Amino acid sequence: MPGTVRGVVVGLMLVIAFVAWAGTATWGGPMAFMEGEAAPELKLPSLDDATMRTLADFRGKPVVLHVFASW
Amino acid sequence: MPGWHAATRDFQEDGRLQVIGIVQEQHPERARLFMQWKRMDWPVLVDSMNLLDVAVVPITVLIDEHGIVRDVVSRRADPREVVESFLAQEFPASDAAPPEPTADTPRQLRRRAEREASAGAWLAYAQALILRGGDKSVDRAIDAFTQAIQLAPGDRESGAAAFGLGVAHRRRFESRRRRPGDFQAAVTHWSMALAIDPNNYIRRRRIQQYGPRLDKPYPFYDWVDQARAEITARGQSPVELPVEPEGAELAQPARGFDGTSASADNPDPQGKIRRDDRHVGWEATVVRDSAGSSGTARVHVEFRPDTASRTHWNNEAQGLTVWLDPPIGWQVDAQRIELDNPPTAVSDEVRRLEFEVQPAAGEANGTLRGYALYYVCEGVKGSCLYRRQDLEFSLSGPVSATPAGGTAGRTVGSDG
Protein backbone atom coordinates (compact mmCIF):
# COMPACT_ATOMS: atom_id res chain seq x y z
CA MET A 1 0.00 0.00 0.00
CA PRO A 2 1.22 3.59 -0.50
CA GLY A 3 3.73 4.82 2.10
CA THR A 4 1.47 7.40 3.73
CA VAL A 5 -1.44 5.02 4.13
CA ARG A 6 0.88 2.33 5.48
CA GLY A 7 2.26 4.82 7.97
CA VAL A 8 -1.22 5.70 9.16
CA VAL A 9 -2.22 2.05 9.45
CA VAL A 10 0.90 1.18 11.41
CA GLY A 11 0.32 4.19 13.64
CA LEU A 12 -3.26 3.12 14.28
CA MET A 13 -2.16 -0.42 15.06
CA LEU A 14 0.36 0.89 17.58
CA VAL A 15 -2.29 3.04 19.24
CA ILE A 16 -4.71 0.13 19.38
CA ALA A 17 -1.99 -2.15 20.75
CA PHE A 18 -1.08 0.41 23.41
CA VAL A 19 -4.69 0.90 24.48
CA ALA A 20 -5.18 -2.86 24.66
CA TRP A 21 -2.04 -3.26 26.75
CA ALA A 22 -2.89 -0.37 29.05
CA GLY A 23 -6.37 -1.75 29.55
CA THR A 24 -5.10 -5.12 30.67
CA ALA A 25 -2.03 -4.03 32.58
CA THR A 26 -2.15 -5.03 36.21
CA TRP A 27 -1.09 -2.69 38.90
CA GLY A 28 0.87 -3.82 41.85
CA GLY A 29 3.05 -0.96 42.87
CA PRO A 30 2.28 2.35 44.46
CA MET A 31 0.63 3.76 41.36
CA ALA A 32 -0.71 6.60 43.44
CA PHE A 33 2.77 8.08 43.68
CA MET A 34 4.47 8.62 40.34
CA GLU A 35 7.74 10.52 40.22
CA GLY A 36 7.32 13.90 38.61
CA GLU A 37 3.55 13.87 39.08
CA ALA A 38 1.47 15.71 41.62
CA ALA A 39 0.78 13.76 44.81
CA PRO A 40 -2.79 12.44 44.92
CA GLU A 41 -5.36 14.86 46.22
CA LEU A 42 -7.43 12.56 48.39
CA LYS A 43 -9.44 14.00 51.24
CA LEU A 44 -8.93 11.75 54.23
CA PRO A 45 -9.87 12.08 57.89
CA SER A 46 -7.16 13.08 60.33
CA LEU A 47 -6.33 10.40 62.88
CA ASP A 48 -6.49 12.87 65.76
CA ASP A 49 -9.76 14.70 65.27
CA ALA A 50 -11.34 13.25 62.12
CA THR A 51 -11.26 16.58 60.23
CA MET A 52 -10.91 16.03 56.51
CA ARG A 53 -7.50 16.98 55.16
CA THR A 54 -5.44 16.52 52.03
CA LEU A 55 -1.74 16.45 51.29
CA ALA A 56 -2.17 19.88 49.70
CA ASP A 57 -2.78 21.28 53.19
CA PHE A 58 0.90 20.68 53.86
CA ARG A 59 2.22 22.29 50.71
CA GLY A 60 4.95 24.87 51.18
CA LYS A 61 7.50 22.58 52.78
CA PRO A 62 9.14 19.40 51.56
CA VAL A 63 7.23 16.41 52.84
CA VAL A 64 8.35 12.95 53.91
CA LEU A 65 5.21 10.82 53.68
CA HIS A 66 5.00 7.41 55.32
CA VAL A 67 2.22 5.09 54.23
CA PHE A 68 2.14 2.46 56.93
CA ALA A 69 0.26 0.23 59.34
CA SER A 70 1.05 -0.41 62.98
CA TRP A 71 1.42 -4.18 62.40
CA MET B 1 10.07 3.71 60.54
CA PRO B 2 12.17 4.36 63.65
CA GLY B 3 15.15 4.94 61.33
CA TRP B 4 13.18 7.54 59.40
CA HIS B 5 11.94 9.13 62.59
CA ALA B 6 15.48 9.61 63.82
CA ALA B 7 16.64 10.89 60.43
CA THR B 8 13.86 13.46 60.09
CA ARG B 9 13.32 14.63 63.64
CA ASP B 10 15.91 17.43 63.58
CA PHE B 11 14.78 18.71 60.21
CA GLN B 12 11.17 18.68 61.31
CA GLU B 13 12.00 20.59 64.47
CA ASP B 14 13.93 23.12 62.39
CA GLY B 15 10.89 23.56 60.21
CA ARG B 16 12.77 22.40 57.12
CA LEU B 17 10.43 19.56 56.32
CA GLN B 18 7.10 18.07 57.33
CA VAL B 19 6.60 14.41 58.13
CA ILE B 20 3.12 13.07 57.45
CA GLY B 21 1.66 9.61 57.78
CA ILE B 22 -1.15 7.81 56.05
CA VAL B 23 -2.29 4.76 57.95
CA GLN B 24 -3.89 1.77 56.29
CA GLU B 25 -5.52 -0.36 58.93
CA GLN B 26 -9.01 -1.55 59.72
CA HIS B 27 -8.54 -0.03 63.21
CA PRO B 28 -6.63 3.23 62.81
CA GLU B 29 -6.75 4.04 66.53
CA ARG B 30 -4.25 1.25 67.01
CA ALA B 31 -1.85 3.35 64.94
CA ARG B 32 -2.45 6.17 67.43
CA LEU B 33 -1.31 3.90 70.24
CA PHE B 34 1.72 2.90 68.19
CA MET B 35 2.64 6.55 67.53
CA GLN B 36 2.23 7.38 71.22
CA TRP B 37 4.45 4.46 72.15
CA LYS B 38 7.21 5.42 69.70
CA ARG B 39 6.77 9.12 70.52
CA MET B 40 6.11 10.03 66.91
CA ASP B 41 4.22 13.25 66.73
CA TRP B 42 3.31 14.05 63.19
CA PRO B 43 -0.03 14.39 61.44
CA VAL B 44 -1.55 11.15 60.24
CA LEU B 45 -4.45 10.68 57.84
CA VAL B 46 -6.58 7.55 57.73
CA ASP B 47 -7.02 5.46 54.59
CA SER B 48 -8.68 2.27 55.86
CA MET B 49 -10.14 1.45 52.46
CA ASN B 50 -6.82 1.86 50.64
CA LEU B 51 -8.16 4.58 48.36
CA LEU B 52 -4.54 5.28 47.50
CA ASP B 53 -4.49 1.79 46.01
CA VAL B 54 -1.04 1.00 47.30
CA ALA B 55 -0.08 -2.64 47.03
CA VAL B 56 2.17 -2.81 50.05
CA VAL B 57 3.21 -0.94 53.18
CA PRO B 58 5.35 0.62 54.40
CA ILE B 59 6.35 2.99 51.65
CA THR B 60 8.01 6.37 52.05
CA VAL B 61 7.40 9.08 49.51
CA LEU B 62 9.31 12.34 49.14
CA ILE B 63 7.16 15.24 47.94
CA ASP B 64 8.59 18.66 47.22
CA GLU B 65 7.13 21.91 48.50
CA HIS B 66 5.09 22.31 45.30
CA GLY B 67 3.29 19.02 45.88
CA ILE B 68 5.21 17.02 43.27
CA VAL B 69 6.37 13.48 44.05
CA ARG B 70 10.15 13.29 43.76
CA ASP B 71 10.94 9.79 45.01
CA VAL B 72 9.34 6.62 46.26
CA VAL B 73 12.02 5.28 48.53
CA SER B 74 13.32 1.75 48.59
CA ARG B 75 13.39 0.00 51.95
CA ARG B 76 17.07 -0.57 51.57
CA ALA B 77 17.86 3.13 51.38
CA ASP B 78 19.57 4.88 54.24
CA PRO B 79 17.04 7.35 55.65
CA ARG B 80 19.56 9.97 56.69
CA GLU B 81 21.29 10.02 53.30
CA VAL B 82 18.01 10.13 51.44
CA VAL B 83 16.59 13.01 53.48
CA GLU B 84 19.75 15.10 53.31
CA SER B 85 20.02 14.59 49.58
CA PHE B 86 16.33 15.43 49.12
CA LEU B 87 16.57 18.65 51.12
CA ALA B 88 19.70 19.71 49.28
CA GLN B 89 17.92 19.73 45.94
CA GLU B 90 15.95 22.58 44.47
CA PHE B 91 12.83 21.66 42.61
CA PRO B 92 11.13 23.95 40.09
CA ALA B 93 7.56 24.98 40.67
CA SER B 94 5.23 22.89 38.58
CA ASP B 95 3.54 24.52 35.60
CA ALA B 96 0.43 22.42 35.88
CA ALA B 97 -1.98 23.24 38.67
CA PRO B 98 -2.44 20.19 40.89
CA PRO B 99 -5.94 18.73 40.76
CA GLU B 100 -8.34 20.09 43.32
CA PRO B 101 -9.82 17.48 45.62
CA THR B 102 -13.50 16.85 45.11
CA ALA B 103 -15.65 18.90 47.44
CA ASP B 104 -18.75 16.81 46.93
CA THR B 105 -20.68 15.94 50.03
CA PRO B 106 -22.11 12.43 50.45
CA ARG B 107 -25.53 13.84 49.57
CA GLN B 108 -24.22 15.33 46.31
CA LEU B 109 -22.44 12.10 45.52
CA ARG B 110 -25.62 10.12 46.13
CA ARG B 111 -27.55 12.32 43.72
CA ARG B 112 -24.82 11.89 41.15
CA ALA B 113 -24.92 8.10 41.61
CA GLU B 114 -28.70 8.00 41.20
CA ARG B 115 -28.48 10.20 38.13
CA GLU B 116 -25.59 8.43 36.43
CA ALA B 117 -26.27 4.90 37.66
CA SER B 118 -22.58 4.11 37.15
CA ALA B 119 -20.37 1.88 39.25
CA GLY B 120 -17.84 4.69 39.69
CA ALA B 121 -20.43 7.08 41.06
CA TRP B 122 -21.86 4.54 43.53
CA LEU B 123 -18.34 3.67 44.59
CA ALA B 124 -17.46 7.33 45.22
CA TYR B 125 -20.63 7.77 47.30
CA ALA B 126 -19.96 4.63 49.33
CA GLN B 127 -16.38 5.65 50.03
CA ALA B 128 -17.44 9.15 51.09
CA LEU B 129 -19.93 7.64 53.55
CA ILE B 130 -17.24 5.51 55.14
CA LEU B 131 -14.76 8.40 55.27
CA ARG B 132 -17.12 10.95 56.75
CA GLY B 133 -19.98 9.12 58.33
CA GLY B 134 -20.29 7.48 61.68
CA ASP B 135 -21.76 4.08 62.39
CA LYS B 136 -25.17 5.12 61.03
CA SER B 137 -23.77 5.65 57.53
CA VAL B 138 -22.41 2.14 57.31
CA ASP B 139 -25.74 0.59 56.23
CA ARG B 140 -26.01 3.01 53.32
CA ALA B 141 -22.36 2.48 52.43
CA ILE B 142 -22.92 -1.27 52.26
CA ASP B 143 -25.87 -0.75 49.92
CA ALA B 144 -23.89 1.65 47.75
CA PHE B 145 -20.85 -0.64 47.46
CA THR B 146 -23.20 -3.47 46.55
CA GLN B 147 -24.79 -1.33 43.84
CA ALA B 148 -21.38 -0.58 42.42
CA ILE B 149 -20.48 -4.26 42.23
CA GLN B 150 -23.81 -5.19 40.65
CA LEU B 151 -23.13 -2.73 37.84
CA ALA B 152 -20.28 -5.09 36.90
CA PRO B 153 -17.47 -2.61 36.52
CA GLY B 154 -13.91 -3.41 35.53
CA ASP B 155 -11.37 -4.91 37.89
CA ARG B 156 -10.19 -1.68 39.44
CA GLU B 157 -13.63 -0.57 40.56
CA SER B 158 -14.78 -4.10 41.48
CA GLY B 159 -11.72 -4.57 43.62
CA ALA B 160 -12.14 -1.22 45.33
CA ALA B 161 -15.84 -1.85 45.94
CA ALA B 162 -15.25 -5.37 47.27
CA PHE B 163 -12.50 -4.19 49.60
CA GLY B 164 -14.60 -1.26 50.81
CA LEU B 165 -17.53 -3.59 51.38
CA GLY B 166 -15.29 -5.75 53.56
CA VAL B 167 -14.19 -2.72 55.58
CA ALA B 168 -17.81 -1.61 55.99
CA HIS B 169 -19.09 -5.03 57.08
CA ARG B 170 -16.34 -5.44 59.63
CA ARG B 171 -16.97 -1.95 60.94
CA ARG B 172 -20.66 -2.70 61.32
CA PHE B 173 -19.82 -6.03 62.99
CA GLU B 174 -17.97 -4.07 65.68
CA SER B 175 -20.82 -1.63 66.21
CA ARG B 176 -24.18 -1.87 67.91
CA ARG B 177 -25.80 -2.07 64.51
CA ARG B 178 -24.18 -5.37 63.66
CA ARG B 179 -26.18 -7.94 61.76
CA PRO B 180 -25.72 -11.71 61.62
CA GLY B 181 -23.12 -12.62 59.07
CA ASP B 182 -21.32 -9.25 59.01
CA PHE B 183 -17.93 -10.69 59.89
CA GLN B 184 -18.18 -13.50 57.33
CA ALA B 185 -19.33 -10.97 54.72
CA ALA B 186 -16.25 -8.88 55.48
CA VAL B 187 -13.96 -11.84 54.93
CA THR B 188 -15.81 -12.91 51.79
CA HIS B 189 -15.47 -9.49 50.22
CA TRP B 190 -11.84 -9.01 51.16
CA SER B 191 -11.23 -12.39 49.54
CA MET B 192 -13.02 -11.23 46.40
CA ALA B 193 -10.86 -8.11 46.31
CA LEU B 194 -7.72 -10.21 46.71
CA ALA B 195 -8.77 -12.60 43.97
CA ILE B 196 -9.08 -9.60 41.62
CA ASP B 197 -5.57 -8.40 42.49
CA PRO B 198 -3.53 -11.13 44.22
CA ASN B 199 -0.48 -8.84 44.33
CA ASN B 200 -2.19 -6.36 46.61
CA TYR B 201 -0.74 -6.99 50.02
CA ILE B 202 -3.05 -4.54 51.76
CA ARG B 203 -5.93 -6.80 50.80
CA ARG B 204 -4.01 -9.90 51.75
CA ARG B 205 -3.03 -8.55 55.16
CA ARG B 206 -6.63 -7.64 55.95
CA ILE B 207 -7.55 -11.31 55.64
CA GLN B 208 -4.41 -12.62 57.32
CA GLN B 209 -5.16 -10.42 60.32
CA TYR B 210 -8.03 -12.80 61.14
CA GLY B 211 -6.70 -15.91 59.48
CA PRO B 212 -4.81 -19.04 60.46
CA ARG B 213 -1.33 -19.02 61.95
CA LEU B 214 0.15 -20.82 58.96
CA ASP B 215 -0.84 -17.85 56.81
CA LYS B 216 0.48 -15.11 59.08
CA PRO B 217 3.56 -13.20 57.97
CA TYR B 218 4.02 -11.95 61.56
CA PRO B 219 1.92 -11.40 64.66
CA PHE B 220 -0.20 -8.35 63.99
CA TYR B 221 -0.87 -6.77 67.34
CA ASP B 222 1.26 -8.60 69.88
CA TRP B 223 3.06 -5.31 70.58
CA VAL B 224 0.01 -3.73 72.23
CA ASP B 225 0.66 -5.02 75.77
CA GLN B 226 4.26 -3.89 75.72
CA ALA B 227 3.27 -0.50 74.33
CA ARG B 228 0.74 0.00 77.10
CA ALA B 229 3.24 -1.03 79.79
CA GLU B 230 5.92 1.35 78.54
CA ILE B 231 3.54 4.26 78.08
CA THR B 232 2.17 3.77 81.58
CA ALA B 233 5.68 3.55 83.00
CA ARG B 234 6.32 6.99 81.49
CA GLY B 235 3.42 8.33 83.48
CA GLN B 236 1.10 8.69 80.51
CA SER B 237 -2.30 7.22 79.78
CA PRO B 238 -2.26 4.85 76.81
CA VAL B 239 -4.61 5.78 73.97
CA GLU B 240 -7.82 3.81 74.38
CA LEU B 241 -8.71 1.21 71.82
CA PRO B 242 -12.44 0.97 71.05
CA VAL B 243 -11.89 -2.55 69.73
CA GLU B 244 -9.32 -4.79 71.44
CA PRO B 245 -7.18 -7.02 69.28
CA GLU B 246 -7.78 -10.64 70.18
CA GLY B 247 -7.22 -14.19 69.08
CA ALA B 248 -5.97 -14.27 65.52
CA GLU B 249 -4.77 -10.69 65.74
CA LEU B 250 -2.34 -11.62 68.51
CA ALA B 251 -1.42 -15.12 67.40
CA GLN B 252 2.15 -15.95 66.45
CA PRO B 253 2.80 -17.25 62.96
CA ALA B 254 3.46 -20.99 62.63
CA ARG B 255 5.32 -23.09 60.10
CA GLY B 256 3.39 -26.27 60.60
CA PHE B 257 -0.03 -27.21 61.83
CA ASP B 258 0.18 -28.31 65.43
CA GLY B 259 -2.98 -30.30 65.63
CA THR B 260 -4.70 -33.29 67.01
CA SER B 261 -7.20 -35.70 65.63
CA ALA B 262 -7.42 -37.97 68.66
CA SER B 263 -10.85 -38.83 69.99
CA ALA B 264 -10.51 -38.79 73.73
CA ASP B 265 -12.41 -37.03 76.51
CA ASN B 266 -15.61 -36.59 74.53
CA PRO B 267 -17.87 -35.12 77.20
CA ASP B 268 -21.11 -36.38 75.63
CA PRO B 269 -20.27 -39.23 73.26
CA GLN B 270 -23.78 -40.63 73.11
CA GLY B 271 -25.50 -37.30 72.79
CA LYS B 272 -27.44 -37.67 76.01
CA ILE B 273 -27.33 -34.00 77.05
CA ARG B 274 -30.58 -32.29 76.10
CA ARG B 275 -30.38 -30.08 73.04
CA ASP B 276 -30.96 -26.39 73.56
CA ASP B 277 -34.04 -25.09 71.76
CA ARG B 278 -33.99 -21.37 72.41
CA HIS B 279 -31.49 -20.07 74.91
CA VAL B 280 -28.26 -19.43 73.05
CA GLY B 281 -27.56 -18.37 69.48
CA TRP B 282 -24.25 -18.98 67.80
CA GLU B 283 -22.48 -17.71 64.74
CA ALA B 284 -19.21 -18.73 63.15
CA THR B 285 -16.92 -17.02 60.68
CA VAL B 286 -14.46 -19.11 58.73
CA VAL B 287 -11.27 -17.46 57.48
CA ARG B 288 -9.30 -19.58 55.03
CA ASP B 289 -5.63 -19.36 54.23
CA SER B 290 -5.40 -16.37 51.86
CA ALA B 291 -3.14 -18.16 49.42
CA GLY B 292 -5.31 -21.24 49.41
CA SER B 293 -2.28 -23.48 49.62
CA SER B 294 -2.59 -25.13 53.02
CA GLY B 295 -6.36 -25.18 53.21
CA THR B 296 -6.11 -24.29 56.89
CA ALA B 297 -8.88 -22.19 58.33
CA ARG B 298 -9.29 -20.17 61.49
CA VAL B 299 -12.82 -20.35 62.84
CA HIS B 300 -14.24 -17.57 64.99
CA VAL B 301 -17.29 -18.60 67.03
CA GLU B 302 -19.62 -16.44 69.10
CA PHE B 303 -22.31 -17.50 71.54
CA ARG B 304 -25.06 -15.07 72.53
CA PRO B 305 -27.60 -15.63 75.27
CA ASP B 306 -31.12 -14.99 74.08
CA THR B 307 -32.26 -11.59 75.29
CA ALA B 308 -36.00 -12.17 74.90
CA SER B 309 -35.97 -14.90 77.53
CA ARG B 310 -33.37 -13.02 79.60
CA THR B 311 -31.08 -15.98 79.42
CA HIS B 312 -27.74 -15.54 81.13
CA TRP B 313 -24.70 -17.67 81.77
CA ASN B 314 -24.48 -19.53 85.04
CA ASN B 315 -20.90 -18.93 86.09
CA GLU B 316 -21.04 -21.09 89.19
CA ALA B 317 -20.79 -24.17 87.04
CA GLN B 318 -18.27 -25.29 84.44
CA GLY B 319 -17.44 -22.82 81.68
CA LEU B 320 -18.76 -23.10 78.16
CA THR B 321 -17.12 -26.08 76.48
CA VAL B 322 -16.82 -26.87 72.80
CA TRP B 323 -16.02 -30.35 71.52
CA LEU B 324 -14.92 -30.80 67.91
CA ASP B 325 -15.20 -34.03 65.94
CA PRO B 326 -12.97 -33.71 62.88
CA PRO B 327 -13.59 -36.04 59.93
CA ILE B 328 -10.99 -38.72 59.24
CA GLY B 329 -7.71 -37.17 58.21
CA TRP B 330 -8.68 -33.71 59.40
CA GLN B 331 -6.98 -32.00 62.31
CA VAL B 332 -7.94 -29.30 64.76
CA ASP B 333 -5.55 -27.39 67.01
CA ALA B 334 -7.60 -28.28 70.05
CA GLN B 335 -10.37 -30.83 70.17
CA ARG B 336 -11.86 -29.68 73.44
CA ILE B 337 -12.02 -25.97 74.27
CA GLU B 338 -13.25 -24.79 77.64
CA LEU B 339 -13.70 -21.12 78.38
CA ASP B 340 -13.00 -19.60 81.78
CA ASN B 341 -15.98 -18.05 83.51
CA PRO B 342 -15.89 -14.40 84.56
CA PRO B 343 -15.75 -13.82 88.32
CA THR B 344 -19.44 -12.82 88.66
CA ALA B 345 -22.09 -15.43 89.47
CA VAL B 346 -24.07 -14.60 86.34
CA SER B 347 -23.38 -12.64 83.16
CA ASP B 348 -24.81 -12.27 79.69
CA GLU B 349 -21.85 -11.26 77.57
CA VAL B 350 -21.12 -12.61 74.12
CA ARG B 351 -18.67 -15.49 74.46
CA ARG B 352 -16.05 -15.93 71.79
CA LEU B 353 -13.52 -18.55 70.96
CA GLU B 354 -11.30 -19.36 68.02
CA PHE B 355 -9.72 -22.54 66.76
CA GLU B 356 -7.93 -23.74 63.66
CA VAL B 357 -8.75 -26.67 61.43
CA GLN B 358 -6.85 -28.33 58.63
CA PRO B 359 -8.69 -30.55 56.18
CA ALA B 360 -7.17 -33.86 55.13
CA ALA B 361 -4.53 -33.79 52.41
CA GLY B 362 -6.24 -33.60 49.06
CA GLU B 363 -9.52 -32.40 50.53
CA ALA B 364 -9.91 -28.64 50.35
CA ASN B 365 -13.50 -28.46 51.55
CA GLY B 366 -15.93 -30.21 53.81
CA THR B 367 -17.79 -29.93 57.08
CA LEU B 368 -16.46 -30.01 60.62
CA ARG B 369 -18.99 -30.92 63.28
CA GLY B 370 -18.98 -30.48 67.00
CA TYR B 371 -21.10 -29.23 69.82
CA ALA B 372 -21.12 -26.77 72.68
CA LEU B 373 -22.12 -27.47 76.27
CA TYR B 374 -23.13 -24.71 78.62
CA TYR B 375 -24.95 -23.82 81.82
CA VAL B 376 -27.52 -21.06 81.52
CA CYS B 377 -30.35 -19.72 83.60
CA GLU B 378 -33.52 -18.13 82.33
CA GLY B 379 -34.76 -14.85 83.78
CA VAL B 380 -33.97 -13.48 87.21
CA LYS B 381 -35.21 -16.47 89.18
CA GLY B 382 -35.81 -18.78 86.29
CA SER B 383 -34.70 -22.31 85.90
CA CYS B 384 -31.06 -23.14 85.37
CA LEU B 385 -30.24 -25.63 82.66
CA TYR B 386 -27.35 -27.61 81.24
CA ARG B 387 -27.68 -27.77 77.51
CA ARG B 388 -25.92 -28.95 74.38
CA GLN B 389 -26.05 -27.26 70.97
CA ASP B 390 -24.75 -28.99 67.89
CA LEU B 391 -22.38 -27.01 65.68
CA GLU B 392 -21.42 -27.32 62.06
CA PHE B 393 -18.62 -25.43 60.28
CA SER B 394 -18.42 -25.56 56.55
CA LEU B 395 -15.10 -25.11 54.81
CA SER B 396 -15.98 -24.21 51.28
CA GLY B 397 -14.20 -22.53 48.48
CA PRO B 398 -13.43 -20.23 47.00
CA VAL B 399 -15.64 -17.95 49.08
CA SER B 400 -18.62 -18.65 51.29
CA ALA B 401 -21.29 -15.99 51.38
CA THR B 402 -23.37 -17.52 54.13
CA PRO B 403 -21.87 -17.88 57.59
CA ALA B 404 -22.37 -20.90 59.77
CA GLY B 405 -24.57 -20.16 62.67
CA GLY B 406 -27.84 -20.83 64.34
CA THR B 407 -30.13 -20.19 67.17
CA ALA B 408 -30.94 -23.25 69.18
CA GLY B 409 -33.15 -25.55 67.20
CA ARG B 410 -32.26 -24.11 63.87
CA THR B 411 -28.82 -24.64 62.38
CA VAL B 412 -27.75 -22.63 59.40
CA GLY B 413 -24.70 -23.88 57.56
CA SER B 414 -22.69 -22.10 54.94
CA ASP B 415 -23.10 -23.44 51.46
CA GLY B 416 -20.46 -25.77 50.12
Side-chain angles (χ1 to χ4, degrees):
Chain A
M1 56 177 87
T4 315
V5 175
R6 184 191 297 155
V8 167
V9 169
V10 168
L12 268 176
M13 286 170 62
L14 284 173
V15 167
I16 291 167
F18 173 78
V19 168
W21 168 79
T24 58
T26 56
W27 59 95
M31 296 284 286
F33 302 104
M34 306 279 275
E35 277 185 48
E37 306 279 325
E41 279 308 302
L42 280 176
K43 240 183 190 162
L44 298 172
S46 160
L47 185 59
D48 283 332
D49 58 9
T51 52
M52 301 301 287
R53 307 192 74 177
T54 74
L55 291 176
D57 294 345
F58 301 94
R59 223 172 273 159
K61 273 188 205 174
V63 162
V64 174
L65 170 68
H66 298 301
V67 186
F68 72 104
S70 68
W71 35 252
Chain B
M1 265 214 322
W4 282 99
H5 184 57
T8 53
R9 189 171 38 218
D10 296 342
F11 295 118
Q12 185 164 243
E13 281 170 10
D14 285 346
R16 290 184 60 191
L17 64 74
Q18 174 70 59
V19 181
I20 304 170
I22 294 182
V23 71
Q24 300 223 329
E25 295 180 54
Q26 181 71 29
H27 306 96
E29 62 282 351
R30 295 175 189 178
R32 283 186 68 202
L33 179 64
F34 183 82
M35 304 273 290
Q36 181 190 25
W37 178 35
K38 298 295 183 185
R39 301 189 221 236
M40 296 184 197
D41 181 24
W42 17 274
V44 175
L45 308 182
V46 177
D47 183 20
S48 298
M49 291 177 285
N50 191 13
L51 302 180
L52 284 174
D53 201 19
V54 294
V56 67
V57 286
I59 60 171
T60 296
V61 184
L62 304 179
I63 303 170
D64 71 20
E65 61 267 32
H66 311 293
I68 305 300
V69 174
R70 292 299 172 187
D71 200 4
V72 179
V73 185
S74 152
R75 297 186 77 156
R76 287 181 294 281
D78 176 73
R80 188 99 202 161
E81 275 179 27
V82 167
V83 171
E84 284 178 352
S85 160
F86 174 53
L87 289 176
Q89 295 178 67
E90 277 201 29
F91 298 106
S94 167
D95 289 335
E100 284 299 311
T102 171
D104 292 336
T105 62
R107 183 175 292 182
Q108 288 169 321
L109 289 168
R110 188 189 75 222
R111 290 206 192 110
R112 190 183 131 216
E114 287 165 348
R115 200 171 54 240
E116 289 182 15
S118 71
W122 281 109
L123 181 59
Y125 171 49
Q127 289 169 340
L129 283 171
I130 294 293
L131 283 177
R132 295 167 192 260
D135 286 348
K136 288 183 186 172
S137 301
V138 171
D139 290 348
R140 282 182 277 143
I142 287 174
D143 289 343
F145 279 124
T146 304
Q147 281 273 38
I149 290 175
Q150 283 171 354
L151 287 163
D155 278 356
R156 188 165 194 129
E157 285 170 337
S158 292
F163 191 71
L165 200 38
V167 170
H169 273 292
R170 177 71 203 188
R171 195 177 277 194
R172 190 167 71 180
F173 171 78
E174 293 167 357
S175 76
R176 291 187 186 170
R177 305 172 75 82
R178 64 168 276 174
R179 297 193 196 170
D182 266 341
F183 186 9
Q184 188 72 70
V187 174
T188 295
H189 288 99
W190 288 330
S191 302
M192 277 171 58
L194 181 63
I196 289 169
D197 183 10
N199 295 311
N200 189 308
Y201 273 78
I202 303 302
R203 297 177 185 182
R204 189 175 295 280
R205 296 287 181 257
R206 204 61 62 98
I207 298 165
Q208 291 172 328
Q209 183 175 341
Y210 299 104
R213 295 175 62 204
L214 268 174
D215 191 29
K216 287 194 182 301
Y218 33 67
F220 279 67
Y221 290 105
D222 69 338
W223 54 266
V224 168
D225 280 351
Q226 184 186 352
R228 285 173 164 154
E230 290 184 19
I231 291 167
T232 304
R234 298 201 293 248
Q236 294 173 324
S237 253
V239 162
E240 282 194 23
L241 300 183
V243 180
E244 282 293 315
E246 56 181 22
E249 297 176 291
L250 303 171
Q252 298 291 321
R255 290 281 179 90
F257 190 82
D258 188 17
T260 174
S261 54
S263 281
D265 295 342
N266 186 338
D268 185 29
Q270 287 163 13
K272 290 185 174 175
I273 310 282
R274 184 180 282 187
R275 301 301 194 272
D276 188 3
D277 61 358
R278 65 181 179 281
H279 295 93
V280 172
W282 67 280
E283 183 176 312
T285 299
V286 176
V287 186
R288 302 298 297 266
D289 177 291
S290 67
S293 51
S294 75
T296 303
R298 188 149 183 123
V299 182
H300 303 245
V301 195
E302 283 195 349
F303 296 92
R304 289 180 173 263
D306 174 60
T307 45
S309 56
R310 291 205 232 156
T311 297
H312 46 269
W313 308 110
N314 176 359
N315 298 328
E316 289 170 330
Q318 189 174 28
L320 186 149
T321 300
V322 165
W323 171 261
L324 300 170
D325 186 20
I328 292 173
W330 287 45
Q331 290 193 306
V332 288
D333 62 350
Q335 194 166 21
R336 180 188 169 123
I337 304 164
E338 185 175 328
L339 297 183
D340 291 330
N341 281 328
T344 52
V346 296
S347 61
D348 60 3
E349 81 283 8
V350 174
R351 293 197 168 174
R352 297 191 172 94
L353 57 89
E354 297 179 22
F355 64 86
E356 296 197 1
V357 52
Q358 184 160 71
E363 275 181 56
N365 304 317
T367 302
L368 169 69
R369 289 182 174 81
Y371 58 85
L373 297 172
Y374 43 81
Y375 289 89
V376 289
C377 302
E378 198 178 86
V380 177
K381 291 184 179 177
S383 42
C384 291
L385 318 158
Y386 181 46
R387 287 290 182 267
R388 165 176 165 150
Q389 182 158 183
D390 292 339
L391 312 171
E392 201 172 278
F393 310 101
S394 177
L395 267 63
S396 57
V399 286
S400 166
T402 315
T407 306
R410 183 175 57 88
T411 301
V412 175
S414 53
D415 293 336

